[in-house]
Amino acid sequence: MMFSPAGHAPRSAGRLVAVGTGLAALAVLLWAVGMTTLQPLTEPVGPWSERLPGAHTYWARDLRFLALMAVVSGLVLAGGGRRPWILRAVLLGGGALAADVAVDRADPTGPGATVSLVALGWLAVALTAASAVRRDAAPGRDRVVLAGLSVVAAVLALVAVLTRSSTDREPELGPAALATGLLLLALTVAAALAAAPGRGRARLAVAVGVAVVGGVGLPLVRFVGPADRLLPAAVLGAVLLVGVTLLTRPAVGQEPERVVSSRPASAERR
């Protein structure tokens, strides 16, 4: 795996942890609101309701699952794509999916339930990050993982704004889908910058351009009629992926970075 030089890690590791865990915490907030506020809007009313399940009736659940994927992505970003963080983030994601099913069956509603779920989610994120910090002895970042993470987050942002319901007229659906998409866009830009092999005005300009294009393009895609969203979403996705590629690829004439192994020196000698 490709890691940045060890001397570069201490300066930015703390900022990366703060950004990644902060985005994961925001994703927890979106998940909790989706569970306690949006989920009841998609469920039948009364024991003999005629609102039978059909296509696109599970938009609240879909947005919650995207928020949970953003939690996992934020923790992977916080660890610079290194193995201890990935393992714990995936385990947290699996536990979160199981918890989502259990909480959904309990039908929590109201501000009190939202606050409780947010507090429990933030506690889980904090414990996961603390455990990863204790176990993570490798310096640097895995730029390949971070580049892949930025691509996945960009695709998920498009999935979020393309989320539909059976009528697509619920007033809460548009803002929720857009908020989820913008959070995933932030993860896209942050992961791409973390994967960038160098810094400079050109890369900063590309990062700002990706953020602006995504910040404008996602609402535009959302505001287009449901039947006409696919083409603008495809164009926006292509632009985002080109921007991510420009951010993460080495500059022309730039030498590849030195490989730093994540194993202790004693293990390498053996």
Side-chain angles (χ1 to χ4, degrees), residues 1-8 138-144 255-263 265 268:
M1 291 188 295
M2 296 294 295
F3 290 89
S4 62
H8 291 182
R141 308 170 186 177
D142 190 326
R143 301 192 184 280
V144 174
E255 294 183 0
E257 290 189 344
R258 179 166 61 95
V259 177
V260 178
S261 174
S262 60
R263 295 179 299 172
E268 292 184 356

PDB file of all heavy atoms in Angstrom, residues 1-8 138-144 255-263 265 268:
ATOM      1  N   MET A   1       0.841  -1.196   0.000  1.00  0.00           N
ATOM      2  CA  MET A   1       0.000   0.000   0.000  1.00  0.00           C
ATOM      3  C   MET A   1       0.874   1.242   0.000  1.00  0.00           C
ATOM      4  O   MET A   1       1.945   1.262   0.587  1.00  0.00           O
ATOM      5  CB  MET A   1      -0.892   0.008   1.249  1.00  0.00           C
ATOM      6  CG  MET A   1      -1.954  -1.074   1.218  1.00  0.00           C
ATOM      7  SD  MET A   1      -3.110  -0.879   2.589  1.00  0.00           S
ATOM      8  CE  MET A   1      -2.017  -1.184   3.963  1.00  0.00           C
ATOM      9  N   MET A   2       0.382   2.276  -0.606  1.00  0.00           N
ATOM     10  CA  MET A   2       1.133   3.522  -0.705  1.00  0.00           C
ATOM     11  C   MET A   2       0.765   4.429   0.447  1.00  0.00           C
ATOM     12  O   MET A   2      -0.405   4.753   0.652  1.00  0.00           O
ATOM     13  CB  MET A   2       0.815   4.219  -2.021  1.00  0.00           C
ATOM     14  CG  MET A   2       1.243   3.452  -3.253  1.00  0.00           C
ATOM     15  SD  MET A   2       3.031   3.308  -3.391  1.00  0.00           S
ATOM     16  CE  MET A   2       3.498   5.022  -3.607  1.00  0.00           C
ATOM     17  N   PHE A   3       1.787   4.806   1.227  1.00  0.00           N
ATOM     18  CA  PHE A   3       1.586   5.723   2.342  1.00  0.00           C
ATOM     19  C   PHE A   3       2.436   6.957   2.127  1.00  0.00           C
ATOM     20  O   PHE A   3       3.499   6.902   1.511  1.00  0.00           O
ATOM     21  CB  PHE A   3       1.976   5.069   3.677  1.00  0.00           C
ATOM     22  CG  PHE A   3       1.034   3.988   4.127  1.00  0.00           C
ATOM     23  CD1 PHE A   3       1.229   2.680   3.734  1.00  0.00           C
ATOM     24  CD2 PHE A   3      -0.052   4.295   4.921  1.00  0.00           C
ATOM     25  CE1 PHE A   3       0.364   1.695   4.134  1.00  0.00           C
ATOM     26  CE2 PHE A   3      -0.916   3.310   5.328  1.00  0.00           C
ATOM     27  CZ  PHE A   3      -0.709   2.009   4.932  1.00  0.00           C
ATOM     28  N   SER A   4       1.975   8.072   2.651  1.00  0.00           N
ATOM     29  CA  SER A   4       2.780   9.282   2.573  1.00  0.00           C
ATOM     30  C   SER A   4       3.962   9.162   3.507  1.00  0.00           C
ATOM     31  O   SER A   4       3.961   8.372   4.448  1.00  0.00           O
ATOM     32  CB  SER A   4       1.926  10.493   2.959  1.00  0.00           C
ATOM     33  OG  SER A   4       1.485  10.359   4.276  1.00  0.00           O
ATOM     34  N   PRO A   5       5.022   9.933   3.307  1.00  0.00           N
ATOM     35  CA  PRO A   5       6.187   9.875   4.162  1.00  0.00           C
ATOM     36  C   PRO A   5       5.823  10.137   5.606  1.00  0.00           C
ATOM     37  O   PRO A   5       4.968  10.952   5.921  1.00  0.00           O
ATOM     38  CB  PRO A   5       7.090  10.992   3.597  1.00  0.00           C
ATOM     39  CG  PRO A   5       6.671  11.100   2.175  1.00  0.00           C
ATOM     40  CD  PRO A   5       5.205  10.828   2.159  1.00  0.00           C
ATOM     41  N   ALA A   6       6.521   9.419   6.491  1.00  0.00           N
ATOM     42  CA  ALA A   6       6.181   9.500   7.913  1.00  0.00           C
ATOM     43  C   ALA A   6       6.323  10.911   8.452  1.00  0.00           C
ATOM     44  O   ALA A   6       5.589  11.322   9.340  1.00  0.00           O
ATOM     45  CB  ALA A   6       7.083   8.550   8.707  1.00  0.00           C
ATOM     46  N   GLY A   7       7.241  11.667   7.940  1.00  0.00           N
ATOM     47  CA  GLY A   7       7.441  13.014   8.448  1.00  0.00           C
ATOM     48  C   GLY A   7       6.302  13.951   8.155  1.00  0.00           C
ATOM     49  O   GLY A   7       6.177  14.997   8.759  1.00  0.00           O
ATOM     50  N   HIS A   8       5.442  13.589   7.193  1.00  0.00           N
ATOM     51  CA  HIS A   8       4.329  14.452   6.838  1.00  0.00           C
ATOM     52  C   HIS A   8       3.091  14.178   7.657  1.00  0.00           C
ATOM     53  O   HIS A   8       2.157  14.956   7.662  1.00  0.00           O
ATOM     54  CB  HIS A   8       3.981  14.265   5.358  1.00  0.00           C
ATOM     55  CG  HIS A   8       5.036  14.786   4.439  1.00  0.00           C
ATOM     56  ND1 HIS A   8       4.904  14.747   3.079  1.00  0.00           N
ATOM     57  CD2 HIS A   8       6.243  15.350   4.695  1.00  0.00           C
ATOM     58  CE1 HIS A   8       6.007  15.263   2.515  1.00  0.00           C
ATOM     59  NE2 HIS A   8       6.820  15.620   3.475  1.00  0.00           N
ATOM     60  N   ALA A 138       0.632   3.076  12.522  1.00  0.00           N
ATOM     61  CA  ALA A 138       1.241   3.348  11.213  1.00  0.00           C
ATOM     62  C   ALA A 138       1.091   4.818  10.857  1.00  0.00           C
ATOM     63  O   ALA A 138       0.009   5.383  10.988  1.00  0.00           O
ATOM     64  CB  ALA A 138       0.584   2.499  10.137  1.00  0.00           C
ATOM     65  N   PRO A 139       2.149   5.477  10.405  1.00  0.00           N
ATOM     66  CA  PRO A 139       2.045   6.871   9.994  1.00  0.00           C
ATOM     67  C   PRO A 139       1.499   6.991   8.579  1.00  0.00           C
ATOM     68  O   PRO A 139       1.405   6.017   7.846  1.00  0.00           O
ATOM     69  CB  PRO A 139       3.501   7.351  10.052  1.00  0.00           C
ATOM     70  CG  PRO A 139       4.298   6.118   9.710  1.00  0.00           C
ATOM     71  CD  PRO A 139       3.528   4.969  10.292  1.00  0.00           C
ATOM     72  N   GLY A 140       1.172   8.196   8.203  1.00  0.00           N
ATOM     73  CA  GLY A 140       0.812   8.480   6.822  1.00  0.00           C
ATOM     74  C   GLY A 140      -0.614   8.120   6.475  1.00  0.00           C
ATOM     75  O   GLY A 140      -1.466   7.925   7.342  1.00  0.00           O
ATOM     76  N   ARG A 141      -0.867   8.026   5.167  1.00  0.00           N
ATOM     77  CA  ARG A 141      -2.200   7.757   4.646  1.00  0.00           C
ATOM     78  C   ARG A 141      -2.112   6.734   3.526  1.00  0.00           C
ATOM     79  O   ARG A 141      -1.118   6.661   2.816  1.00  0.00           O
ATOM     80  CB  ARG A 141      -2.831   9.034   4.087  1.00  0.00           C
ATOM     81  CG  ARG A 141      -2.818  10.209   5.028  1.00  0.00           C
ATOM     82  CD  ARG A 141      -3.236  11.475   4.304  1.00  0.00           C
ATOM     83  NE  ARG A 141      -3.091  12.633   5.182  1.00  0.00           N
ATOM     84  CZ  ARG A 141      -3.323  13.880   4.810  1.00  0.00           C
ATOM     85  NH1 ARG A 141      -3.693  14.135   3.568  1.00  0.00           N
ATOM     86  NH2 ARG A 141      -3.180  14.872   5.658  1.00  0.00           N
ATOM     87  N   ASP A 142      -3.169   5.978   3.370  1.00  0.00           N
ATOM     88  CA  ASP A 142      -3.285   5.092   2.218  1.00  0.00           C
ATOM     89  C   ASP A 142      -4.049   5.865   1.148  1.00  0.00           C
ATOM     90  O   ASP A 142      -5.278   5.958   1.173  1.00  0.00           O
ATOM     91  CB  ASP A 142      -4.032   3.817   2.607  1.00  0.00           C
ATOM     92  CG  ASP A 142      -3.967   2.769   1.501  1.00  0.00           C
ATOM     93  OD1 ASP A 142      -3.964   3.165   0.321  1.00  0.00           O
ATOM     94  OD2 ASP A 142      -3.910   1.575   1.809  1.00  0.00           O
ATOM     95  N   ARG A 143      -3.323   6.410   0.208  1.00  0.00           N
ATOM     96  CA  ARG A 143      -3.933   7.298  -0.790  1.00  0.00           C
ATOM     97  C   ARG A 143      -4.827   6.532  -1.763  1.00  0.00           C
ATOM     98  O   ARG A 143      -5.775   7.111  -2.303  1.00  0.00           O
ATOM     99  CB  ARG A 143      -2.842   8.068  -1.538  1.00  0.00           C
ATOM    100  CG  ARG A 143      -1.980   8.924  -0.607  1.00  0.00           C
ATOM    101  CD  ARG A 143      -1.118   9.887  -1.386  1.00  0.00           C
ATOM    102  NE  ARG A 143      -0.229  10.629  -0.502  1.00  0.00           N
ATOM    103  CZ  ARG A 143      -0.604  11.675   0.213  1.00  0.00           C
ATOM    104  NH1 ARG A 143      -1.855  12.092   0.164  1.00  0.00           N
ATOM    105  NH2 ARG A 143       0.255  12.296   1.001  1.00  0.00           N
ATOM    106  N   VAL A 144      -4.543   5.267  -1.974  1.00  0.00           N
ATOM    107  CA  VAL A 144      -5.393   4.474  -2.863  1.00  0.00           C
ATOM    108  C   VAL A 144      -6.779   4.309  -2.245  1.00  0.00           C
ATOM    109  O   VAL A 144      -7.806   4.469  -2.918  1.00  0.00           O
ATOM    110  CB  VAL A 144      -4.748   3.102  -3.136  1.00  0.00           C
ATOM    111  CG1 VAL A 144      -5.689   2.226  -3.943  1.00  0.00           C
ATOM    112  CG2 VAL A 144      -3.421   3.273  -3.868  1.00  0.00           C
ATOM    113  N   GLU A 255       7.606  12.899  -9.112  1.00  0.00           N
ATOM    114  CA  GLU A 255       8.083  11.570  -8.779  1.00  0.00           C
ATOM    115  C   GLU A 255       7.117  10.906  -7.814  1.00  0.00           C
ATOM    116  O   GLU A 255       6.514  11.564  -6.961  1.00  0.00           O
ATOM    117  CB  GLU A 255       9.478  11.652  -8.132  1.00  0.00           C
ATOM    118  CG  GLU A 255      10.554  12.162  -9.076  1.00  0.00           C
ATOM    119  CD  GLU A 255      11.909  12.146  -8.421  1.00  0.00           C
ATOM    120  OE1 GLU A 255      11.978  11.739  -7.233  1.00  0.00           O
ATOM    121  OE2 GLU A 255      12.892  12.527  -9.069  1.00  0.00           O
ATOM    122  N   PRO A 256       6.943   9.583  -7.925  1.00  0.00           N
ATOM    123  CA  PRO A 256       6.078   8.870  -6.986  1.00  0.00           C
ATOM    124  C   PRO A 256       6.577   9.036  -5.561  1.00  0.00           C
ATOM    125  O   PRO A 256       7.776   9.136  -5.306  1.00  0.00           O
ATOM    126  CB  PRO A 256       6.173   7.404  -7.446  1.00  0.00           C
ATOM    127  CG  PRO A 256       6.673   7.473  -8.852  1.00  0.00           C
ATOM    128  CD  PRO A 256       7.525   8.697  -8.939  1.00  0.00           C
ATOM    129  N   GLU A 257       5.641   9.042  -4.630  1.00  0.00           N
ATOM    130  CA  GLU A 257       6.021   9.205  -3.237  1.00  0.00           C
ATOM    131  C   GLU A 257       6.687   7.948  -2.712  1.00  0.00           C
ATOM    132  O   GLU A 257       6.454   6.837  -3.181  1.00  0.00           O
ATOM    133  CB  GLU A 257       4.780   9.523  -2.403  1.00  0.00           C
ATOM    134  CG  GLU A 257       4.230  10.894  -2.684  1.00  0.00           C
ATOM    135  CD  GLU A 257       3.143  11.226  -1.683  1.00  0.00           C
ATOM    136  OE1 GLU A 257       2.642  10.310  -1.023  1.00  0.00           O
ATOM    137  OE2 GLU A 257       2.814  12.417  -1.577  1.00  0.00           O
ATOM    138  N   ARG A 258       7.500   8.149  -1.695  1.00  0.00           N
ATOM    139  CA  ARG A 258       8.196   7.037  -1.067  1.00  0.00           C
ATOM    140  C   ARG A 258       7.213   6.119  -0.375  1.00  0.00           C
ATOM    141  O   ARG A 258       6.245   6.557   0.233  1.00  0.00           O
ATOM    142  CB  ARG A 258       9.200   7.603  -0.054  1.00  0.00           C
ATOM    143  CG  ARG A 258       9.994   6.547   0.692  1.00  0.00           C
ATOM    144  CD  ARG A 258      11.168   7.210   1.402  1.00  0.00           C
ATOM    145  NE  ARG A 258      10.709   8.191   2.362  1.00  0.00           N
ATOM    146  CZ  ARG A 258      10.531   7.920   3.649  1.00  0.00           C
ATOM    147  NH1 ARG A 258      10.710   6.676   4.086  1.00  0.00           N
ATOM    148  NH2 ARG A 258      10.149   8.872   4.480  1.00  0.00           N
ATOM    149  N   VAL A 259       7.457   4.806  -0.482  1.00  0.00           N
ATOM    150  CA  VAL A 259       6.586   3.824   0.164  1.00  0.00           C
ATOM    151  C   VAL A 259       7.032   3.661   1.604  1.00  0.00           C
ATOM    152  O   VAL A 259       8.208   3.385   1.880  1.00  0.00           O
ATOM    153  CB  VAL A 259       6.648   2.464  -0.567  1.00  0.00           C
ATOM    154  CG1 VAL A 259       5.803   1.445   0.160  1.00  0.00           C
ATOM    155  CG2 VAL A 259       6.187   2.627  -1.995  1.00  0.00           C
ATOM    156  N   VAL A 260       6.115   3.811   2.533  1.00  0.00           N
ATOM    157  CA  VAL A 260       6.392   3.623   3.947  1.00  0.00           C
ATOM    158  C   VAL A 260       5.529   2.483   4.431  1.00  0.00           C
ATOM    159  O   VAL A 260       4.302   2.539   4.366  1.00  0.00           O
ATOM    160  CB  VAL A 260       6.087   4.901   4.755  1.00  0.00           C
ATOM    161  CG1 VAL A 260       6.348   4.643   6.240  1.00  0.00           C
ATOM    162  CG2 VAL A 260       6.965   6.039   4.273  1.00  0.00           C
ATOM    163  N   SER A 261       6.150   1.431   4.897  1.00  0.00           N
ATOM    164  CA  SER A 261       5.395   0.257   5.331  1.00  0.00           C
ATOM    165  C   SER A 261       4.690   0.535   6.630  1.00  0.00           C
ATOM    166  O   SER A 261       5.191   1.261   7.497  1.00  0.00           O
ATOM    167  CB  SER A 261       6.344  -0.936   5.493  1.00  0.00           C
ATOM    168  OG  SER A 261       5.660  -2.045   6.041  1.00  0.00           O
ATOM    169  N   SER A 262       3.497  -0.069   6.809  1.00  0.00           N
ATOM    170  CA  SER A 262       2.753   0.087   8.050  1.00  0.00           C
ATOM    171  C   SER A 262       3.229  -0.880   9.123  1.00  0.00           C
ATOM    172  O   SER A 262       2.781  -0.831  10.258  1.00  0.00           O
ATOM    173  CB  SER A 262       1.250  -0.156   7.801  1.00  0.00           C
ATOM    174  OG  SER A 262       1.051  -1.466   7.307  1.00  0.00           O
ATOM    175  N   ARG A 263       4.150  -1.800   8.761  1.00  0.00           N
ATOM    176  CA  ARG A 263       4.637  -2.763   9.738  1.00  0.00           C
ATOM    177  C   ARG A 263       5.812  -2.175  10.508  1.00  0.00           C
ATOM    178  O   ARG A 263       6.588  -1.386   9.978  1.00  0.00           O
ATOM    179  CB  ARG A 263       5.095  -4.046   9.039  1.00  0.00           C
ATOM    180  CG  ARG A 263       3.970  -4.794   8.342  1.00  0.00           C
ATOM    181  CD  ARG A 263       4.520  -6.031   7.669  1.00  0.00           C
ATOM    182  NE  ARG A 263       5.529  -5.684   6.658  1.00  0.00           N
ATOM    183  CZ  ARG A 263       6.276  -6.571   6.022  1.00  0.00           C
ATOM    184  NH1 ARG A 263       6.165  -7.846   6.311  1.00  0.00           N
ATOM    185  NH2 ARG A 263       7.144  -6.164   5.101  1.00  0.00           N
ATOM    186  N   ALA A 265       9.531  -1.829  12.107  1.00  0.00           N
ATOM    187  CA  ALA A 265      10.807  -2.134  11.480  1.00  0.00           C
ATOM    188  C   ALA A 265      11.287  -3.539  11.845  1.00  0.00           C
ATOM    189  O   ALA A 265      11.883  -4.234  11.031  1.00  0.00           O
ATOM    190  CB  ALA A 265      11.847  -1.084  11.900  1.00  0.00           C
ATOM    191  N   GLU A 268       9.794  -6.067   9.599  1.00  0.00           N
ATOM    192  CA  GLU A 268      10.352  -6.051   8.255  1.00  0.00           C
ATOM    193  C   GLU A 268      11.686  -6.781   8.212  1.00  0.00           C
ATOM    194  O   GLU A 268      12.017  -7.437   7.246  1.00  0.00           O
ATOM    195  CB  GLU A 268      10.506  -4.608   7.774  1.00  0.00           C
ATOM    196  CG  GLU A 268       9.178  -3.914   7.542  1.00  0.00           C
ATOM    197  CD  GLU A 268       9.382  -2.534   6.974  1.00  0.00           C
ATOM    198  OE1 GLU A 268      10.570  -2.127   6.854  1.00  0.00           O
ATOM    199  OE2 GLU A 268       8.382  -1.867   6.644  1.00  0.00           O
TER     200      GLU A 268
END
